Amino acid sequence: MSAPALSVRAAVPERDVEVDLDVPEGRVLALLGPNGAGKSTVLGLAAGTVRPGGGEVQVAGRRVAGERTWVPPHERRISLLAQEPLLLPHLDVLSNVAFGPRARGAGRRGAEQVARARLAEVGVEELAARRVHRLSGGQAQRVALARALAPEPHLLLLDEPLSALDVDAAAQLRQVLRATLRGTGRSAIVVTHDLLDVLALADDVVVLDGGRVVERGTTAEVLSRPRSAFGARLAGVNLVLGERVAADAVRAGADEVHGLASGPPLTPGRAAATFSPRAVAVHRAAPGGSPRNVLPVRVTGLEQQGALVRVRGETASGCRLAADVTPTSLSTLRVGVGDDVVFVVKAAEVDVYAA
């Protein structure tokens, strides 16, 4: 079994970051989390721009940072593709891409052969002689990707590489990245806030919050059964995370949600309940009868979601939930930010599982 492309078991005390994660060889890891969660610090630990205060970092089984060990960034065989291409303006496209192989000792002809192959791989071989100031944003980012691939890195770091592009250019580059990464078995970390990037590129997901790993798993596992607030937002579902109080119930503070238990049998301990915003009905007061899940909330926001309106609310226990309703229903209810309402969801719409 080959060593992971990246192994980080390290702390950066001055940033309150302490992480334990691996990127298996040949897989793409999506590193997710809110702003300030520690994602940039993890990339810095891998790239060599951040020194750990404890623990160690390994690249392809080689220790590159730790006690009495420090391998400088240019010797780690890690490439970075960031939001901005940062191409060298005094060189043409071919020379930009050939720069990495030349720096590793390749001759000019060999480096240019590699550069042409990488430009062809990302679909811009015809731009080889063009100066970088004549490239569009999407073209420049493709060239930057070719440049990152040219030195044959052990690991590619993708730091929100599509965020500065328009919708069409981002969609095109996303497909190029998918073919370049998933179609060739390269190893990579992608930092993104875009669900489409995760779905197109990632084999695995790690969610950071407060400088710690709070969730990890395959992409399918995290999106189908999130166990963190960020994972739930990405998957587009409501999450109640707390303690199991019955075979099919989760309690978080004063909030208790019943549903249908799935997966391995639930045991005492942490459990999660998830349900779609579209499964939630909004009432001014608790309805008659005996609906199983009735959650009083204070409305914190209203957002248009296509043909529906998303009503965001927070319970007294601090649980943040959302309901998707029609504009007609919202008009009838006369609901505004700051109002107290009731979210109602049937137990059959709630998935309960171990957390």
Side-chain angles (χ1 to χ4, degrees), residues 11-31:
V12 184
E14 63 270 23
R15 300 188 183 185
D16 192 25
V17 170
E18 186 174 346
V19 293
D20 179 347
L21 62 84
D22 290 332
V23 180
E25 180 70 28
R27 293 180 73 84
V28 179
L29 173 73
L31 187 61

Side-chain angles (χ1 to χ4, degrees), residues 2-199:
S2 60
L6 176 71
S7 178
V8 179
R9 285 163 181 78
V12 184
E14 63 270 23
R15 300 188 183 185
D16 192 25
V17 170
E18 186 174 346
V19 293
D20 179 347
L21 62 84
D22 290 332
V23 180
E25 180 70 28
R27 293 180 73 84
V28 179
L29 173 73
L31 187 61
L32 311 177
N35 292 335
K39 303 184 295 296
S40 295
T41 299
V42 172
L43 293 188
L45 286 167
T49 58
V50 174
R51 287 179 179 262
E56 67 173 22
V57 179
Q58 293 186 7
V59 175
R62 176 193 181 197
R63 195 169 189 244
V64 297
E67 187 177 2
R68 294 188 297 277
T69 301
W70 179 253
V71 176
H74 65 277
E75 295 181 8
R76 294 191 179 196
R77 292 192 62 185
I78 288 180
S79 291
L80 171 68
L81 180 64
Q83 297 178 28
E84 300 297 332
L86 301 177
L87 300 173
L88 299 171
H90 61 288
L91 299 178
D92 61 19
V93 164
L94 185 67
S95 297
N96 263 279
V97 179
F99 185 87
R102 289 295 301 274
R104 292 193 60 216
R108 180 173 181 176
R109 180 174 297 180
E112 289 186 351
Q113 288 177 341
V114 171
R116 291 188 186 279
R118 296 291 77 80
L119 287 169
E121 183 178 355
V122 302
V124 289
E125 185 179 14
E126 73 281 2
L127 301 178
R130 188 172 295 186
R131 290 288 177 174
V132 298
H133 70 272
R134 295 181 55 221
L135 301 175
S136 69
Q139 290 172 336
Q141 199 68 327
R142 288 199 194 201
V143 172
L145 173 59
R147 182 184 60 183
L149 296 172
E152 296 296 333
H154 291 306
L155 180 71
L156 185 62
L157 304 179
L158 305 171
D159 189 4
E160 301 199 52
L162 309 181
S163 63
L165 302 179
D166 62 40
V167 174
D168 291 338
Q172 292 170 8
L173 185 57
R174 187 179 293 114
Q175 293 309 309
V176 171
L177 282 168
R178 179 182 176 88
T180 300
L181 297 175
R182 302 190 74 173
T184 59
R186 290 186 171 102
S187 308
I189 294 179
V190 55
V191 172
T192 182
H193 288 88
D194 194 322
L195 176 61
L196 293 179
D197 295 345
V198 178
L199 292 172

